[in-house]
């Protein structure tokens, strides 16, 4: 009887250790990384910030997409907003889609930000950060440029107004349109 | 003295309407800072000074001033950020596991400990001798000793 209890305890302990190990492997395998250049951009459907309904990334397949992640509490996003709006006004006539994804933000503050900066491209809300997590966003602003097939052409970590990105953003849009 | 009186009167004038407007005890920013997470740094608001945390603290302070209850403020934050904004998991569905598993774990540990102690104490118990110990005397001497002792009875 004692031997049986001892064996059962050992089996339970071993199962516990195996379970913890499996959990560790699962978390490592499912760790979220930013999609690299050339890989498919993670699909998503998000609620609109600037109106009712949702927008899904898949609905823009066949068009180049500029995906900008921002937040109203982010200082660099303020200076970037005007440049994005200007570029949107230029590139929209060439079939390029601009999408803004508001990250970990209060919807009311985000709407005020959009209104204050007179942004007219579609805005989406990701309050929970589930989509931004899949894009490996660690700071805002960050911008992805996707080609017509939905593959990543460029990932700019920081405002596109950053002197280092000045040429890169335009080049990435040209590549995405090709 | 006059300055103190002026400050006291001003405090009464401004504070009285605010507290009178609430029909329930006002919740505090300190309390909610421990209940709400900073979404970008994954610590409670109390431990964070990030811009996102500052924004939420401002939101909470305004709602407290407007007499919102802690529950109402938490509900509004969950609607905006999702359930992950709360430091503690909810008391329903899958989240219940987070509440019950530690209790089950502690109980299971206590059971295992109790069983171990019980077994250990049984092993340490001194064994009762089955027979009286041998005196080391031969039968004749023992008999004579018994006779001698019998005289004193």
């Amino acid at each position: 009887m004692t031997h049986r209890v001892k064996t059962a305890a050992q089996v339970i302990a071993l199962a516990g250790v195996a379970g913890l190990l499996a959990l560790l492997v699962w978390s490592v395998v499912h760790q979220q990384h930013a999609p690299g250049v050339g890989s498919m951009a993670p699909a998503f459907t998000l609620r609109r910030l600037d109106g009712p309904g949702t927008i899904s990334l898949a609905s823009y397949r066949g068009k180049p997409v500029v995906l900008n992640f921002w937040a109203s509490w982010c200082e660099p996003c303020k200076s970037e907003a005007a440049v994005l709006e200007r570029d949107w006004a230029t590139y929209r006539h060439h079939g390029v889609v601009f999408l803004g994804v508001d990250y970990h933000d209060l919807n009311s503050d985000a709407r005020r930000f959009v209104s204050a900066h007179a942004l007219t491209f579609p805005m989406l809300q990701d309050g929970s950060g589930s989509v931004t997590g899949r894009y490996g966003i660690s700071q805002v602003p960050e911008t992805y440029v996707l080609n017509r097939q939905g593959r990543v052409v460029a990932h700019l970590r920081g405002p596109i107004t950053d002197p280092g990105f000045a040429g890169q953003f335009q080049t990435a849009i040209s590549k995405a349109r090709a | 003295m006059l300055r103190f009186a002026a400050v006291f009167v001003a405090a009464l004038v401004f504070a009285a309407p605010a507290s009178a407007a609430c029909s329930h005890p006002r919740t505090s920013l300190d309390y909610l800072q421990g209940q709400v997470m900073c979404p970008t740094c994954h610590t409670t608001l109390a431990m964070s000074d990030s811009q996102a945390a500052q924004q939420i603290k401002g939101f909470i302070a305004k709602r407290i001033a407007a007499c919102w209850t802690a529950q109402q403020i938490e509900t509004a934050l969950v609607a905006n950020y999702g359930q992950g904004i709360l430091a503690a998991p909810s008391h329903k569905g899958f989240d219940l596991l987070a509440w019950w598993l530690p209790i089950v774990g502690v109980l299971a540990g206590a059971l295992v400990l109790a069983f171990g102690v019980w077994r250990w104490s049984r092993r340490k118990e001194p064994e009762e001798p089955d027979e009286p110990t041998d005196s080391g005397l031969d039968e004749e001497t023992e008999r004579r000793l018994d006779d001698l002792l019998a005289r004193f009875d």
Side-chain angles (χ1 to χ4, degrees):
Chain A
M1 177 67 186
T2 315
H3 181 69
R4 214 179 285 171
V5 169
K6 204 172 178 181
T7 310
Q10 282 172 343
V11 167
I12 289 169
L14 218 73
V17 171
L20 286 173
L21 202 72
L23 204 65
L24 179 73
V25 170
W26 185 88
S27 66
V28 168
V29 168
H30 288 81
Q31 221 166 23
Q32 293 176 328
H33 297 288
V37 171
S39 59
M40 286 299 289
F44 63 78
T45 300
L46 285 172
R47 274 189 300 172
R48 291 187 74 128
L49 178 71
D50 49 354
T54 59
I55 286 181
S56 91
L57 182 64
S59 64
Y60 294 111
R61 190 60 56 80
K63 292 179 178 179
V65 175
V66 171
L67 203 53
N68 175 254
F69 292 88
W70 63 277
S72 67
W73 43 260
C74 147
E75 277 303 315
C77 297
K78 290 173 185 166
S79 55
E80 188 193 48
V83 178
L84 276 169
E85 181 61 25
R86 189 196 65 205
D87 286 349
W88 156 241
T90 306
Y91 287 110
R92 65 187 297 185
H93 303 297
H94 301 285
V96 181
V97 174
F98 277 49
L99 289 177
V101 180
D102 181 37
Y103 160 84
H104 285 324
D105 204 356
L106 286 166
N107 295 341
S108 50
D109 287 7
R111 287 192 192 100
R112 262 197 296 277
F113 182 96
V114 169
S115 168
H117 292 87
L119 301 175
T120 56
F121 54 92
M123 289 294 174
L124 310 168
Q125 47 176 297
D126 187 23
S128 68
S130 59
V131 169
T132 42
R134 278 154 58 204
Y135 277 82
I137 304 295
S138 54
Q139 54 184 7
V140 277
E142 288 193 33
T143 303
Y144 278 88
V145 180
L146 315 178
N147 68 12
R148 296 176 195 278
Q149 290 77 44
R151 291 189 183 279
V152 176
V153 171
H155 176 196
L156 311 177
R157 290 181 189 270
I160 60 164
T161 48
D162 194 297
F165 295 149
Q168 277 187 49
F169 185 58
Q170 311 300 332
T171 309
I173 292 181
S174 301
K175 266 192 201 170
R177 289 174 59 201
Chain B
M1 186 65 191
L2 260 175
R3 191 179 292 173
F4 174 76
V7 169
F8 183 72
V9 169
L12 278 181
V13 167
F14 289 110
S19 56
C22 278
S23 57
H24 50 79
R26 203 184 286 266
T27 187
S28 75
L29 182 60
D30 279 348
Y31 167 72
L32 281 164
Q33 279 186 5
Q35 303 298 310
V36 177
M37 298 292 286
C38 160
T40 54
C41 29
H42 308 296
T43 61
T44 58
L45 288 184
M47 295 170 73
S48 173
D49 209 29
S50 71
Q51 289 162 312
Q54 293 289 353
Q55 183 194 41
I56 299 173
K57 285 176 191 176
F59 173 85
I60 293 173
K62 276 184 198 164
R63 297 306 178 277
I64 291 172
C67 279
W68 284 35
T69 62
Q71 182 65 47
Q72 285 173 319
I73 294 170
E74 285 179 1
T75 304
L77 288 171
V78 167
N80 195 110
Y81 293 95
Q83 194 66 37
I85 197 71
L86 299 181
S90 71
H91 289 81
K92 56 187 174 188
F94 186 75
D95 289 346
L96 268 176
L97 272 180
W99 292 99
W100 283 105
L101 273 181
I103 296 170
V104 170
V106 167
L107 285 178
L111 273 175
V112 168
L113 197 70
F115 180 71
V117 167
W118 174 71
R119 280 199 59 196
W120 177 77
S121 62
R122 272 175 63 90
R123 198 178 295 169
K124 290 284 176 184
E125 263 175 28
E127 286 182 10
E128 287 288 325
D130 293 336
E131 292 174 3
T133 50
D134 192 6
S135 61
L137 303 172
D138 58 64
E139 268 183 38
E140 178 58 24
T141 313
E142 207 159 319
R143 194 186 53 76
R144 286 172 63 187
L145 187 65
D146 285 343
D147 286 347
L148 266 170
L149 287 172
R151 283 185 203 170
F152 294 103
D153 288 343

